[in-house]
Amino acid sequence: MSGVLTWARLSFRLQRLEILLLGAAVLVASGLMLWWAYELDGIAKAYPDCDYFDPALACQEAGQRFSETFSTAEIIIRNTWVAGFAVGLVLGVPLVAREIDHGTAQLAWTIGRSRVRWLIGRVAFAALVAIVLAALLAVTTEVLVTTMLPDIDLSRDFNFHGNRGPLIVGRAMLGLGAGVLVGALLGRQLPALLLGVFVVGGLYAASWVGFPLWYHSEADVASMDEYLGGPLWIESGIELTSGERLTWSELYGGGRAPLETYQADDGTYYATLADAEAERNPLGRDYILIIPGERYNEIVARETAVFAGAGLLLIGGAAAVTRRRRPS
Amino acid sequence: MGAVHLAWKLQRWEVATLIGFMVALVVALVVIGWRMEQIQAAAPECWQRDTDAPLPAAMQDTCGASYQAHSAMREVGAYAAVGSTLAPFLFGVILGPPLVGREIEGRTAGIAWTLSRSRRRWLALRAGPVVGLVLVAMVLVGLAGTTLARQLAGGEPGFGSLVPPLPLLLARGALALAIGLLAGVVIGRTFPAVLATALAVGLVMIAASIGIDAWMAAEARPIPQFGDMAGGSKIYNTGLRDDDSGKVITLQQYFTSPGVDDTAELPPPGMTLVAWSVPAADYPMWMWREAALLGGGAAVIAFAYVGAVGRRAL
């Protein structure tokens, strides 16, 4: 037990200022989110019969208060996707880079039984702090979104997907892994932080492109005419009469249809107004590919696992670099 | 030259990375803006239509391709715009804290300050090249982004402009740098000072944004909608103006008045729809106000910084 306490105390002392600053920022952000959640919940309970997004006459004052608080809360909730990455990156970058930057790596690595063992000890504490801070954000974002959308079961809905819940923790692990690896490679804190921002940005962009491609084959086909709940949108376009599917940009950009098409009441698309009126030569009907809201938890678990797994791989890479690296 | 050389030696990693970022950003801003202009110039008949009528069939292929290409560049341009928004903060946050923070952290401040004639002289020599770099970088980014700003705004940039204009870039860069310099002296450790600077800059910008927004809301005036109001205006509320008396009420006041039919079409006879707004034509004035506010803040923090360096214990 005393060994664990010593490890925790020593690790904390090495990153005291980063942890305190990050902790303060996370506490302020969480406090604000909980305050807005309390406000929104209060309005919802005071006016239980009001619809806040299309307020009837009697609900206008409540509707305006709700909508103003909603808009303010939305500013922070729309930016929480970056919070996990930032927490991980800030904790990860200095782990190896600071020792090299300050010329203390030689000493630290000589005292330890092995460099990898030393690194695991350092990363474990940073990961623990990152998980605690990101988990706090994960919980408070869920609480806030629940009060922002009081009529929706958010465990079955992709509203604010990526801005709430455990995904923030997964991203923190990816940020941590990228930070440790870049820090170990460069051996300089500030350049590593800068490069880490670009690396994490690139990885996020890759996930933004990669996940929809992954989901493409397992998505459900739906139509705009039906009630969809809160699905994850993958793709939309037109299904031609030949059965071929084209996205809207493929249809219009590829010259497969004139720039302006006409949609009849039954949803069928025509190339000209005359065709639409005569109901001849139809182009096809619109289609959308979605992941239904019922799969929200599964998708979040999957993405969280991918981010966290990628983070662990990067930490493994950092261990390999640290093992072979010159300490200066 | 000696000061520039020393600044480069001490901060070459950060400076090299930031110069690389700046060059990439400037090239992206110029190339994307130029390309968007070229696309429009290649098919002027598609971009100078003053009617909402459907495109003639003969123009559909040409205009479709032109709109598609312009839209694709617009998407990429939006990312470059984000880069130019972040640039002043990135430069200030990364270059400011290490200037003194690294000397204190590395315990070289004592030697450096003792060898120099005075701490202020040392500070001027060390900070000069960094301030110069930030200013030059912001001027380049600001000038490079002018074409793209017009293209993204579809005319002269207004309040919704995605690319910050040059005066704002300079003021934001100066503010972020001043906060970073002060954080470096106060905290005395580079990495935590960078983190503290990022948080402080974020808070200051949020506060400034809220303050300026409240100021603008207080100066917003009712302007007829769909008439005199050009795109790019900042709207705060909507209402109705009595054509005879000139009295203006909000839509909320109107709908909560007794006897009002809330299903009837707006505006009712004898009234005009108005929006409490700051017109796009006022954008330059507000831009200069914001720049002056942030620049003034930067100057105050810079004075505090000089004082802090003078008094800082080793």
Side-chain angles (χ1 to χ4, degrees):
Chain A
M1 189 64 189
S2 69
V4 173
L5 281 176
T6 307
W7 162 76
R9 199 170 57 234
L10 192 65
S11 301
F12 174 74
R13 287 191 59 164
L14 287 167
Q15 288 193 279
R16 184 177 62 235
L17 279 171
E18 290 99 283
I19 293 171
L20 290 177
L21 283 167
L22 275 179
V26 167
L27 280 177
V28 168
S30 299
L32 280 174
M33 287 194 277
L34 289 177
W35 169 251
W36 286 320
Y38 172 76
E39 287 272 300
L40 290 168
D41 190 48
I43 300 169
K45 282 188 175 143
Y47 302 90
D49 299 326
C50 288
D51 176 357
Y52 300 105
F53 297 103
D54 183 17
L57 204 56
C59 297
Q60 279 200 352
E61 195 189 332
Q64 189 166 351
R65 273 179 59 205
F66 191 92
S67 135
E68 279 168 8
T69 314
F70 186 101
S71 302
T72 316
E74 197 177 9
I75 294 171
I76 199 167
I77 209 86
R78 290 278 178 210
N79 288 296
T80 48
W81 66 270
V82 84
F85 291 129
V87 165
L89 197 61
V90 166
L91 289 169
V93 162
L95 287 183
V96 181
R98 181 177 288 156
E99 303 287 352
I100 297 167
D101 220 356
H102 289 184
T104 51
Q106 178 88 61
L107 183 67
W109 292 348
T110 312
I111 290 171
R113 268 186 243 169
S114 79
R115 291 184 184 188
V116 173
R117 212 180 152 83
W118 168 85
L119 183 67
I120 289 171
R122 297 295 314 278
V123 168
F125 184 76
L128 189 67
V129 175
I131 289 170
V132 169
L133 294 178
L136 186 58
L137 287 172
V139 171
T140 46
T141 47
E142 285 284 8
V143 170
L144 178 58
V145 176
T146 304
T147 55
M148 289 169 78
L149 304 169
D151 300 328
I152 293 177
D153 177 2
L154 288 165
S155 65
R156 299 159 68 84
D157 193 292
F158 282 93
N159 255 304
F160 290 109
H161 173 51
N163 298 111
R164 62 184 169 102
L167 208 45
I168 296 173
V169 181
R171 288 175 178 164
M173 292 306 292
L174 182 70
L176 182 75
V180 181
L181 178 59
V182 176
L185 280 168
L186 293 190
R188 304 253 167 191
Q189 293 179 85
L190 287 193
L193 183 66
L194 259 179
L195 189 62
V197 170
F198 296 127
V199 168
V200 165
L203 289 171
Y204 175 66
S207 77
W208 201 64
V209 174
F211 282 131
L213 287 176
W214 185 9
Y215 301 147
H216 198 275
S217 60
E218 51 186 286
D220 290 354
V221 182
S223 166
M224 295 295 281
D225 301 336
E226 56 191 292
Y227 174 71
L228 300 171
L232 182 65
W233 294 76
I234 306 297
E235 183 183 288
S236 65
I238 188 166
E239 187 169 307
L240 302 177
T241 47
S242 62
E244 186 186 2
R245 282 188 192 146
L246 297 174
T247 62
W248 294 116
S249 58
E250 285 169 342
L251 179 76
Y252 294 121
R256 303 283 294 266
L259 199 62
E260 286 165 81
T261 50
Y262 297 86
Q263 191 178 20
D265 291 342
D266 66 352
T268 308
Y269 279 82
Y270 296 89
T272 64
L273 184 60
D275 282 350
E277 284 171 354
E279 295 186 0
R280 66 176 180 235
N281 302 327
L283 287 171
R285 295 176 66 88
D286 63 12
Y287 77 93
I288 45 177
L289 291 183
I290 57 161
I291 301 287
E294 290 74 27
R295 292 183 61 193
Y296 175 77
N297 285 333
E298 176 207 330
I299 294 293
V300 167
R302 190 192 291 188
E303 291 184 4
T304 305
V306 168
F307 280 127
L312 289 174
L313 277 178
L314 292 172
I315 290 170
V321 171
T322 306
R323 221 174 128 189
R324 292 156 194 270
R325 200 190 193 292
R326 279 168 43 183
S328 57
Chain B
M1 200 60 205
V4 174
H5 182 69
L6 184 65
W8 166 253
K9 291 277 282 180
L10 289 170
Q11 289 187 275
R12 63 181 173 277
W13 286 94
E14 296 95 277
V15 170
T17 314
L18 284 173
I19 287 178
F21 166 72
M22 181 199 67
V23 169
L25 180 62
V26 165
V27 169
L29 289 167
V30 169
V31 169
I32 296 167
W34 171 79
R35 181 74 193 117
M36 288 173 87
E37 267 191 345
Q38 288 291 306
I39 291 167
Q40 289 189 331
E45 68 279 11
C46 304
W47 295 92
Q48 290 164 2
R49 303 177 76 238
D50 51 2
T51 169
D52 291 334
L55 279 168
M59 289 170 64
Q60 290 217 340
D61 282 352
T62 312
C63 293
S66 182
Y67 296 157
Q68 283 283 332
H70 196 267
S71 165
M73 291 311 291
R74 192 186 172 80
E75 270 184 40
V76 186
Y79 286 106
V82 172
S84 67
T85 304
L86 292 177
F89 305 120
L90 204 56
F91 271 77
V93 166
I94 296 294
L95 292 178
L99 209 70
V100 178
R102 190 174 280 154
E103 302 281 0
I104 297 170
E105 190 173 24
R107 296 174 195 279
T108 51
I111 300 170
W113 291 344
T114 312
L115 288 176
S116 185
R117 267 185 251 164
S118 73
R119 287 189 186 188
R120 281 189 186 176
R121 185 181 155 75
W122 173 88
L123 190 60
L125 286 173
R126 286 285 286 110
V130 174
V131 173
L133 174 65
V134 173
L135 295 182
V136 168
M138 291 311 107
V139 168
L140 289 175
V141 171
L143 294 178
T146 47
T147 307
L148 181 63
R150 272 201 306 275
Q151 284 289 330
L152 291 177
E156 281 309 306
F159 288 103
S161 176
L162 295 173
V163 183
L166 179 56
L168 281 185
L169 283 170
L170 287 169
R172 289 173 187 173
L175 181 72
L177 185 64
I179 293 175
L181 291 167
L182 186 62
V185 180
V186 173
I187 295 174
R189 289 181 66 185
T190 309
F191 196 80
V194 166
L195 183 57
T197 306
L199 294 174
V201 167
L203 286 175
V204 168
M205 287 310 298
I206 289 171
S209 164
I210 291 170
I212 289 168
D213 204 52
W215 188 6
M216 286 173 72
E219 291 201 10
R221 52 188 190 271
I223 298 173
Q225 275 186 306
F226 317 116
D228 305 341
M229 211 170 62
S233 301
K234 187 109 175 164
I235 298 173
Y236 288 92
N237 206 346
T238 48
L240 291 164
R241 188 178 64 195
D242 190 303
D243 293 339
D244 294 330
S245 65
K247 190 184 167 199
V248 183
I249 55 168
T250 64
L251 279 184
Q252 194 184 353
Q253 286 169 334
Y254 171 73
F255 280 122
T256 47
S257 309
V260 167
D261 175 11
D262 61 351
T263 59
E265 199 169 315
L266 285 174
M271 297 188 109
T272 306
L273 265 175
V274 293
W276 272 268
S277 44
V278 179
D282 289 356
Y283 176 66
M285 179 184 75
W286 284 100
M287 175 195 72
W288 281 108
R289 282 183 180 178
E290 184 177 343
L293 193 73
L294 298 180
V300 170
I301 296 168
F303 275 118
Y305 166 66
V306 173
V309 171
R311 282 192 299 274
R312 181 71 158 84
L314 292 171

